[in-house]
Amino acid sequence: DQQVKQNSPSLSVQEGRISILNCDYTNSMFDYFLWYKKYPAEGPTFLISISSIKDKNEDGRFTVFLNKSAKHLSLHIVPSQPGDSAVYFCAARPNFGNEKLTFGTGTRLTIIP
Amino acid sequence: NAGVTQTPKFRVLKTGQSMTLLCAQDMNHEYMYWYRQDPGMGLRLIHYSVGEGTTAKGEVPDGYNVSRLKKQNFLLGLESAAPSQTSVYFCASSYASSGANVLTFGAGSRLTVL
């Protein structure tokens, strides 16, 4: 029962273009959504988050969009840079229970120079 | 500031052997977690702790035990290793707060069970 789904295992994008990573969820109790980035042989690092009361959150080149009715969120990276090549995990948790963070399976993003 | 440190980084075990993974954090975080990462499965929560002396089961706790005797340390034990426990294990910690509750992860421990 995968409550957080990232249906694209991999994505390749030309440097300078926009990268769009998608994430779908099934649990309507999820209240916070986070994106983590992971380089090989390192632990995941926090990238950006969004609360369910918002539909957009922006931080520099990174923007996360949330569509609650569709239970869908996306991460936009503009412009894409070679250093953005990594695995990106979407994660979600309900408002209660800080420990209940559920991760998606990840999308490997490759930026082509 | 080291953040979250995991030891060892690599380990090879034979089926039936036991071992302990150590996680240490220096950020005074209340919450600590153990995840495993497997291909196509993402990160799955094994056990977690909401404070010193407490532990609780996560999504995939079978075959593992944990202890949190000190606030800064969280140990993950395998009493009798099985090939299905071959994985990369990540420890994480966070503040006990509402909101996004951002986790800080260690670099991971790669375990192979033959």
Side-chain angles (χ1 to χ4, degrees):
Chain A
D1 178 24
Q2 193 73 29
Q3 297 188 62
V4 179
K5 301 177 185 178
Q6 294 177 258
N7 293 317
S8 297
S10 63
L11 176 68
S12 293
V13 174
Q14 206 77 30
E15 181 179 358
R17 297 288 188 100
I18 182 172
S19 295
I20 300 176
L21 293 89
N22 294 304
C23 178
D24 297 294
Y25 62 96
T26 57
N27 190 339
S28 58
M29 300 301 291
F30 286 148
D31 220 33
Y32 288 94
F33 304 88
L34 302 88
W35 285 94
Y36 281 81
K37 176 180 180 179
K38 185 184 178 307
Y39 292 119
E42 295 183 11
T45 56
F46 170 72
L47 191 57
I48 192 170
S49 67
I50 188 168
S51 162
S52 61
I53 62 173
K54 295 184 176 181
D55 55 16
K56 176 183 175 181
N57 188 26
E58 196 171 351
D59 184 2
R61 296 186 298 113
F62 302 92
T63 303
V64 57
F65 295 91
L66 176 62
N67 183 333
K68 281 192 69 176
S69 60
K71 294 191 175 66
H72 176 82
L73 66 155
S74 60
L75 174 68
H76 293 211
I77 306 174
V78 181
S80 299
Q81 299 175 353
D84 296 329
S85 294
V87 176
Y88 289 79
F89 290 99
C90 171
R93 72 162 190 85
N95 192 23
F96 56 90
N98 279 326
E99 69 283 1
K100 303 294 184 187
L101 189 63
T102 302
F103 284 84
T105 53
T107 296
R108 181 178 300 277
L109 175 66
T110 302
I111 305 302
I112 305 165
Chain B
N1 192 347
V4 178
T5 304
Q6 294 181 227
T7 53
K9 288 185 169 30
F10 302 93
R11 184 74 187 268
V12 178
L13 288 178
K14 293 181 180 179
T15 297
Q17 287 185 318
S18 63
M19 75 156 296
T20 300
L21 296 176
L22 171 64
C23 177
Q25 54 95 2
D26 60 3
M27 297 171 287
N28 202 33
H29 284 169
E30 288 292 336
Y31 286 18
M32 296 188 75
Y33 315 79
W34 276 107
Y35 284 87
R36 60 179 288 174
Q37 184 194 6
D38 302 291
M41 302 294 287
L43 290 155
R44 293 182 292 169
L45 183 64
I46 305 171
H47 285 280
Y48 64 95
S49 168
V50 300
E52 181 179 325
T54 74
T55 63
K57 294 180 180 180
E59 182 185 355
V60 288
D62 294 342
Y64 305 95
N65 56 76
V66 287
S67 64
R68 183 103 181 264
L69 298 179
K70 292 182 179 181
K71 184 176 183 178
Q72 64 267 34
N73 295 337
F74 195 30
L75 278 63
L76 178 71
L78 286 73
E79 290 187 349
S80 180
S84 62
Q85 293 177 304
T86 293
S87 187
V88 181
Y89 292 86
F90 289 99
C91 177
S93 68
S94 68
Y95 287 111
S97 63
S98 59
N101 188 30
V102 173
L103 273 61
T104 300
F105 283 86
S109 298
R110 182 176 293 276
L111 174 65
T112 302
V113 183
L114 303 175

